Amino acid sequence: MSKTLFDKVWDKHVVRKIEGGPDVLFIDRHLIHEVTSPVAFLGLKSRNIGVLYPNRTFATADHNTPTINQHLPVADPLSANQLQALETNSKQYGISHWGLGHQKNGIVHVVGPEYGITQPGATIVCGDSHTSTHGAFGAIAFGIGTSEVEMVLATQCIMQPKPKKMRINVNGKLGKGVTPKDVALFIISQLTTSGATGYFVEYAGDVFENMTMEGRMTVCNLSIEMGARGGMIAPDETTINYVKGREFSPKGEAWDKALAYYKTLKTDADAVFDKEYTFDGASIEPMITYGTNPGMGMGISHEIPDAAHVEGGAATYEKSLGYMGFHEGESMIGKKVDFVFVGSCTNGRIEDFRAFTSLVKGKHKADDVTVWLVPGSHIVESQIKEEGLLDILTEAGFVLRQPGCSACLAMNDDKVPAGKYAVSTSNRNFEGRQGPGARTMLASPLVAAAAAVTGKVTDPRTLIEELV
Amino acid sequence: MAYDKFTVLRSAAVPLPIENVDTDQIIPARFLKATERVGFGDNLFRDWRYNADNTPKADFVLNNPTYSGKILVGGKNFGSGSSREHAAWAIYDYGFRCVISSFFADIFKNNCLNIGVLPVQVSPEFAEKIFTAIHANPKTEIEVNLPEQTVTLVSTGEKESFDISPYKKENLMNGFDDIDYLLNIKSDIEEFASQLPL
Ligand code: SF4
């Protein structure tokens, strides 16, 4: 029978099927961080059981960490306690631990691919919904809750009903200044935040085929924002070239074996999806959100749509726009911006900083904007320095911070104050996500750059002729 | 972690007719710093429930003594956003055992089922009926019957059935969790693992 890419990877990992229940799914790689793992380890202790395969789990500290002065002890006692718990638990159970200050430390979904932990055709889970990022490699990757973290530690399996399958095709040539982030925000604006709930998505079409691995990660990262458990893209030459030779990638004979497996990972020509959408890449423009969920996005040159065009009833729409202080029919261009955040597992990789830098080069940071540039990992941080981007950024008045999730969820001190407006390259514009009362507009690193130098929402296409 | 068995729940309900209630609202990230599962109920809907100076917001439903009960009725797409199980913990810890909505986000629904909160998905029409009934009489009782998989508006007898996998139903009715099951098939898992390509 013809199979989709998703079917192939899923079926290969089913240990057993439970009559009238979920499948028992084997997990190849498990990533943990300090926030969603402590209670899972407590569970192991109270059951008096160990970790079945410690070498399949990797720990990094990211959600709760400061992005300056990482060499100093963490000031917030609660955060320090969580970081300590991650370290102690990892040590006790023999799990690789890349804590604060460790050379391999960074955001869990950034370091996984960097070190070759992320592999095509693997099953990957983490107690963080943006685990969907790893789907860029043709892996089945999704976020889980803490009970499931405990399950994976104890048994390397979780129990999941098999989701339905959706394919989203985007073909055509992307316009000037249109990035993978815009493609993703566009798709979510079309499907709404619940449009893919119950589905696992495969992205197909030349727009994704032509993307770099980093661009694909940005797209897959945002799959969860339309309700999908995850999204994936069939591995190709681009994928294999990226994966080959990384620290935890298979080597020698194991590599040849893995390669043979990777090559089987594509949807058969006549495989059927439960749902399919097709969009024209040329019609997408740089996007920005105006509301309080990622589905409330629009082309930057458009006007804020009316309630009838937005998911949720009029009450939900009004609550959302009231929170943002925006009105139906307004243009977003020219709106005041107080904060700019470039980072997160959505847009905290080197290509994002290259894009940002290309636009701000030779310009200057607007005076009344606070800009947080937070690399996704130490590798990204060193690339920024080695490629000379830091010099350009410094010249333009910007400061580079240290790696972590930072203002993506504002668990550390990087909080946007109540009522202030932030253009953010992260993934969620929920009420209070970037700090109580903070007002978030999601956008690409280019739109963030345009805001950083003008202090306003600005169409990046109007600022430079040649965009990377 | 052990939880109370679920069979039949009859209770008044708290209405929250807002769509896309995300897990950042259910429990804001700054309250995720605990290393133990205690006290999350106090911060359930923290920013909707309290002002910045920690005084209760009078207009939020949890601060309105008219409404109470072990059932929370939410708008469509309840629990979207992050995978934090803390959202389900907060709901359980506050005292809810059941959430009713016309649509749930996937991870949230899974998390609830794993910790003993029953997510009941009803039709949009039935959800409307429930909201209307609570609006008319805040003490309106709802009966959620897990063995029969039905939800009933006690006052009128109107009833709808809901879906749940037989496996999860069995778990909830007995207070079992998935780990018990998985630990029992450990040798199968180990054999399976030895044959995987990665
Ligand atoms: S950057 Fe944001 S979305 Fe990504 S792992 Fe960190 S908190 Fe989660």
Side-chain angles (χ1 to χ4, degrees):
Chain A
M1 205 184 98
S2 315
K3 285 181 163 191
T4 66
L5 164 62
F6 176 79
D7 292 324
K8 289 182 185 177
V9 181
W10 181 278
D11 295 351
K12 198 160 204 93
H13 290 85
V14 175
V15 179
R16 68 157 71 169
K17 290 183 173 298
I18 297 172
E19 192 80 33
D23 289 350
V24 175
L25 194 69
F26 189 85
I27 301 302
D28 292 313
R29 303 278 190 278
H30 181 207
L31 302 162
I32 58 173
H33 59 84
E34 75 277 23
V35 175
T36 55
S37 69
V39 173
F41 282 107
L42 278 186
L44 293 184
K45 279 166 204 156
S46 74
R47 287 174 209 263
N48 204 13
I49 50 177
V51 174
L52 185 58
Y53 295 114
N55 60 347
R56 290 183 182 270
T57 295
F58 299 82
T60 181
D62 56 1
H63 278 61
N64 217 342
T65 52
T67 54
I68 48 166
N69 293 326
Q70 290 188 349
H71 62 289
L72 298 178
V74 174
D76 172 19
L78 291 175
S79 302
N81 189 32
Q82 271 194 339
L83 296 170
Q84 185 58 51
L86 185 70
E87 183 176 343
T88 313
N89 288 324
S90 300
K91 232 181 231 159
Q92 179 178 346
Y93 293 99
I95 294 165
S96 304
H97 170 249
W98 304 342
L100 196 60
H102 190 288
Q103 200 251 322
K104 290 182 180 156
N105 177 256
I107 302 175
V108 60
H109 311 310
V110 176
V111 297
E114 278 174 346
Y115 290 96
I117 295 166
T118 307
Q119 291 286 316
T123 45
I124 303 173
V125 297
C126 171
D128 180 281
S129 57
H130 293 94
T131 308
S132 60
T133 312
H134 309 266
F137 293 79
I140 291 183
F142 54 89
I144 56 177
T146 297
S147 297
E148 291 164 320
V149 173
E150 186 183 339
M151 273 172 232
V152 179
L153 290 170
T155 69
Q156 207 58 39
C157 288
I158 56 170
M159 306 183 72
Q160 291 284 309
K162 190 173 180 182
K164 287 183 283 188
K165 290 156 289 183
M166 178 187 287
R167 181 159 61 189
I168 298 177
N169 308 284
V170 187
N171 289 296
K173 194 171 172 343
L174 296 179
K176 177 175 128 175
V178 178
T179 70
K181 178 67 163 287
D182 302 302
V183 175
L185 285 176
F186 171 80
I187 295 171
I188 304 165
S189 75
Q190 300 300 303
L191 268 74
T192 77
T193 56
S194 60
T197 303
Y199 293 87
F200 215 94
V201 174
E202 180 177 344
Y203 298 98
D206 53 21
V207 162
F208 305 111
E209 285 161 21
N210 293 332
M211 267 181 200
T212 62
M213 284 318 294
E214 296 201 357
R216 295 179 191 181
M217 285 188 241
T218 301
V219 170
C220 289
N221 173 281
L222 288 160
S223 306
I224 179 77
E225 304 309 335
M226 52 193 178
R229 206 58 198 279
M232 64 203 302
I233 295 174
D236 57 10
E237 281 304 306
T238 309
T239 322
I240 291 166
N241 291 337
Y242 182 102
V243 167
K244 193 172 180 186
R246 295 194 181 246
E247 187 172 332
F248 291 90
S249 294
K251 306 271 152 51
E253 220 175 284
W255 171 255
D256 297 338
K257 227 172 103 194
L259 201 58
Y261 172 54
Y262 301 162
K263 300 232 152 117
T264 66
L265 300 173
K266 48 174 148 327
T267 292
D268 297 332
D270 47 354
V272 191
F273 289 82
D274 299 290
K275 215 173 210 177
E276 191 144 3
Y277 291 94
T278 300
F279 299 108
D280 171 18
S283 71
I284 304 173
E285 62 167 75
M287 298 285 294
I288 190 156
T289 64
Y290 56 87
T292 54
N293 71 56
M296 299 174 86
M298 61 182 216
I300 195 161
S301 70
H302 295 207
E303 275 113 44
I304 295 177
D306 58 27
H309 290 90
V310 181
E311 178 197 21
T316 306
Y317 175 86
E318 269 161 41
K319 183 175 190 311
S320 177
L321 261 66
Y323 180 86
M324 292 301 290
F326 293 157
H327 303 278
E328 177 191 326
E330 283 181 338
S331 167
M332 289 294 287
I333 302 233
K335 292 223 176 275
K336 171 95 185 72
V337 175
D338 308 295
F339 285 76
V340 171
F341 170 56
V342 181
S344 86
C345 58
T346 311
N347 283 123
R349 285 172 289 264
I350 188 62
E351 287 173 10
D352 303 311
F353 288 93
R354 284 186 199 139
F356 182 90
T357 311
S358 74
L359 192 139
V360 304
K361 186 174 181 180
K363 302 186 176 60
H364 204 272
K365 182 182 88 65
D367 285 340
D368 44 0
V369 186
T370 303
V371 180
W372 292 322
L373 304 180
V374 184
S377 70
H378 282 304
I379 291 201
V380 176
E381 187 186 24
S382 7
Q383 281 173 312
I384 292 173
K385 292 176 182 164
E386 280 156 22
E387 293 183 12
L389 304 183
L390 183 58
D391 299 331
I392 301 170
L393 292 168
T394 311
E395 176 81 27
F398 296 99
V399 179
L400 186 66
R401 298 174 80 90
Q402 291 173 298
C405 295
S406 178
C408 174
L409 89 167
M411 272 187 86
N412 65 0
D413 289 339
D414 306 343
K415 290 182 174 56
V416 175
K420 296 292 183 196
Y421 289 95
V423 168
S424 177
T425 68
S426 56
N427 41 52
R428 287 191 173 134
N429 51 350
F430 297 150
E431 284 184 32
R433 171 84 177 181
Q434 297 195 289
R439 293 156 154 172
T440 301
M441 297 170 271
L442 299 175
S444 74
L446 285 176
V447 173
V453 293
T454 60
K456 294 184 289 225
V457 174
T458 303
D459 188 335
R461 296 172 296 186
T462 61
L463 284 186
I464 47 172
E465 289 301 307
E466 288 299 315
L467 290 163
V468 281
Chain B
M1 182 141 164
Y3 55 83
D4 299 337
K5 296 176 190 180
F6 197 116
T7 46
V8 179
L9 174 67
R10 188 170 167 155
S11 163
V14 177
L16 190 63
I18 298 171
E19 297 200 7
N20 301 323
V21 171
D22 60 75
T23 51
D24 273 83
Q25 308 317 317
I26 299 174
I27 182 102
R30 61 187 190 282
F31 300 111
L32 308 184
K33 296 191 184 192
T35 49
E36 284 174 69
R37 201 189 128 177
V38 285
F40 286 99
D42 294 344
N43 296 316
L44 175 68
F45 291 113
R46 182 77 201 194
D47 293 336
W48 285 355
R49 202 165 140 201
Y50 296 101
N51 294 304
D53 62 3
N54 291 330
T55 52
K57 293 186 181 179
D59 60 353
F60 186 63
V61 68
L62 292 190
N63 296 323
N64 185 342
T66 317
Y67 301 102
S68 62
K70 293 184 170 216
I71 300 172
L72 177 66
V73 192
K76 185 183 154 222
N77 197 22
F78 193 89
S80 60
S82 116
S83 61
R84 60 188 71 161
E85 196 169 291
H86 313 67
W89 298 342
I91 285 172
Y92 187 100
D93 192 46
Y94 183 87
F96 292 119
R97 292 303 316 280
C98 170
V99 184
I100 298 177
S101 166
S102 62
F103 198 81
F104 288 97
D106 268 342
I107 303 183
F108 175 77
K109 191 172 174 179
N110 256 329
N111 285 342
C112 284
L113 288 166
N114 281 338
I115 66 142
V117 172
L118 177 63
V120 171
Q121 185 162 329
V122 296
S123 67
E125 297 74 39
F126 200 71
E128 250 342 283
K129 267 185 198 156
I130 296 177
F131 282 129
T132 311
I134 301 175
H135 190 72
N137 173 15
K139 299 281 169 263
T140 294
E141 281 197 316
I142 296 172
E143 184 179 286
V144 179
N145 185 319
L146 179 58
E148 310 229 303
Q149 295 179 222
T150 54
V151 47
T152 309
L153 262 171
V154 177
S155 52
T156 63
E158 284 170 290
K159 172 191 287 210
E160 200 172 88
S161 44
F162 62 87
D163 277 341
I164 182 169
S165 93
Y167 167 82
K168 283 290 179 192
K169 177 173 167 178
E170 172 98 7
N171 270 3
L172 278 176
M173 287 176 55
N174 294 294
F176 295 159
D177 66 19
D178 288 350
I179 300 186
D180 302 329
Y181 182 96
L182 291 172
L183 288 171
N184 271 327
I185 60 164
K186 204 164 136 193
S187 53
D188 285 15
I189 295 172
E190 283 169 323
E191 188 185 329
F192 185 87
S194 66
Q195 294 162 10
L196 278 175
L198 294 173

